[in-house]
Amino acid sequence: MEFNFRLADVFPSEISIVGKDLIPVDSPSIQKYGTDRAKEQTMEILDVFGKASGLAQNLPHMITSAAKLRESDGGQIVYFLCDFQRNQLVGLLRIGKKKLFIYDQQGVQHELNPTCILDFYIHESKQRMGYGKVLFDSMLQNEQVDVRHLAIDRPSDKLIFFLRQHYQLTKIIPQVYNFVVFDGFFNGRSDYAGKKARWAGLDQTPEKKNTTVVTQFQDSRSYNNDTLIHFRNLQHGYVPQSLASSIGSVLQPNERVNGSGSAKVANGHELNGGHALHKHSNIHSNENGFT
């Protein structure tokens, strides 16, 4: 996606960060044109690209915009991926902390504030070229977060496949809401105090205090197909993932995962790898990347 101003004047590097102040960290535009101009250009980028993300997901409204980022809490930030040589915006990845009540494999609920994936969009013209992997890896490295410790808002089959292929996240710990966590989520967390139970939780009563429950892991390939596993004791209403809006569907909305785990697009061809970026870019794609 192109703009009528130089992205290199707005962003200091091809992968840059924008917070709720709406000014990229170390933006060259501040020295050239002043703070107001830098903020104005960043707001335009957020609104235009956020609208594209929402349209790609068939959402009735934008989930990422300048206004939403400015009013956000939890330290939300947006990672942008650009191609300076072509003056194109390639993708965005919005993250932030959320207070969530998360069940572990023993059925014990814990109040945690994990880093959450809130929006992830690669422009349609740049998909299946490894850009998504580049952007995701940059975020993980910069945030110093284990990919297993992320909570992901309403992932689609495509995002599930992305995480399975690139990060070997295959086993989902069932929850009662649309955030997904994987096996390993509780391993080595500094904010996890073991088996501290919250007996006022959704399915925890005093009678169950001394009861040990081992939750069945769910294979990520069946996540959007097997809705019953999302119910705890079949007592709580839940929106099936196949009917929920998804941030992952925008990565490659026409793709589904077949039974063997291979990704297929609408024409039936399997994806066999990504494509390298142009040789002058200082961003390199992953050989097996597909977003």
Side-chain angles (χ1 to χ4, degrees):
M1 181 176 290
E2 298 179 357
F3 291 83
N4 60 4
F5 49 82
R6 294 181 68 249
L7 294 175
D9 288 341
V10 181
F11 298 112
S13 61
E14 289 188 304
I15 296 180
S16 297
I17 300 172
V18 176
K20 64 185 304 178
D21 63 355
L22 305 181
I23 300 177
V25 178
D26 298 324
S27 172
S29 186
I30 296 177
Q31 291 185 345
K32 288 187 176 182
Y33 308 112
T35 301
D36 290 343
R37 177 71 179 276
K39 182 177 292 187
E40 178 182 318
Q41 292 173 330
T42 304
M43 290 175 64
E44 179 180 344
I45 291 170
L46 278 164
D47 288 342
V48 171
F49 221 64
K51 182 178 181 179
S53 175
L55 289 174
Q57 300 177 63
N58 295 315
L59 297 176
H61 53 77
M62 292 188 293
I63 59 174
T64 296
S65 68
K68 289 182 180 294
L69 183 60
R70 182 176 56 241
E71 298 165 4
S72 66
D73 54 13
Q76 290 189 24
I77 57 176
V78 176
Y79 283 80
F80 282 105
L81 174 60
C82 306
D83 182 339
F84 282 169
Q85 181 173 331
R86 295 182 172 89
N87 197 44
Q88 294 176 341
L89 192 61
V90 175
L92 68 77
L93 174 57
R94 180 164 61 94
I95 67 170
K97 298 280 188 178
K98 292 280 186 181
K99 182 173 76 172
L100 301 176
F101 296 90
I102 301 175
Y103 286 95
D104 62 20
Q105 196 188 1
Q106 285 69 46
V108 178
Q109 193 182 55
H110 306 271
E111 180 181 346
L112 299 171
N113 288 276
T115 298
C116 300
I117 303 300
L118 304 174
D119 195 6
F120 187 19
Y121 173 61
I122 302 297
H123 191 267
E124 287 79 2
S125 66
K126 298 295 185 179
Q127 292 173 10
R128 292 184 289 275
M129 297 181 182
Y131 287 102
K133 180 66 162 52
V134 169
L135 184 56
F136 213 90
D137 280 348
S138 179
M139 179 276 294
L140 293 174
Q141 181 177 4
N142 190 68
E143 299 298 321
Q144 291 294 291
V145 62
D146 189 323
V147 68
R148 300 172 303 167
H149 294 168
L150 297 171
I152 302 154
D153 189 9
R154 294 173 291 183
S156 70
D157 289 340
K158 186 61 192 73
L159 183 52
I160 290 288
F161 182 76
F162 175 84
L163 295 169
R164 186 183 188 95
Q165 181 189 38
H166 293 296
Y167 303 104
Q168 294 74 56
L169 298 178
T170 62
K171 297 178 180 179
I172 293 172
I173 304 175
Q175 305 296 320
V176 297
Y177 45 71
N178 290 332
F179 278 91
V180 167
V181 298
F182 289 89
D183 181 27
F185 178 84
F186 292 95
N187 295 352
R189 294 191 67 94
S190 60
D191 56 354
Y192 176 49
K195 296 181 179 180
K196 179 181 178 182
R198 294 178 57 89
W199 302 116
L202 294 175
D203 69 350
Q204 294 171 342
T205 62
E207 301 84 61
K208 295 183 180 180
K209 186 172 181 179
N210 297 316
T211 302
T212 300
V213 178
V214 178
T215 301
Q216 176 187 358
F217 284 126
Q218 180 184 12
D219 190 302
S220 63
R221 284 174 294 189
S222 67
Y223 178 70
N224 283 323
N225 300 322
D226 182 6
T227 59
L228 289 183
I229 200 165
H230 301 293
F231 292 85
R232 299 194 65 88
N233 300 330
L234 303 182
Q235 294 176 348
H236 309 288
Y238 190 84
V239 178
Q241 295 299 307
S242 59
L243 302 180
S245 298
S246 169
I247 64 171
S249 64
V250 304
L251 300 182
Q252 287 179 36
N254 295 324
E255 183 179 338
R256 293 293 180 267
V257 178
N258 63 21
S260 66
S262 298
K264 290 190 175 183
V265 293
N267 61 11
H269 297 294
E270 293 190 1
L271 299 177
N272 295 316
H275 305 282
L277 307 187
H278 58 89
K279 63 182 180 180
H280 297 294
S281 173
N282 59 14
I283 301 176
H284 302 282
S285 69
N286 181 281
E287 175 177 68
N288 296 316
F290 52 85
T291 60

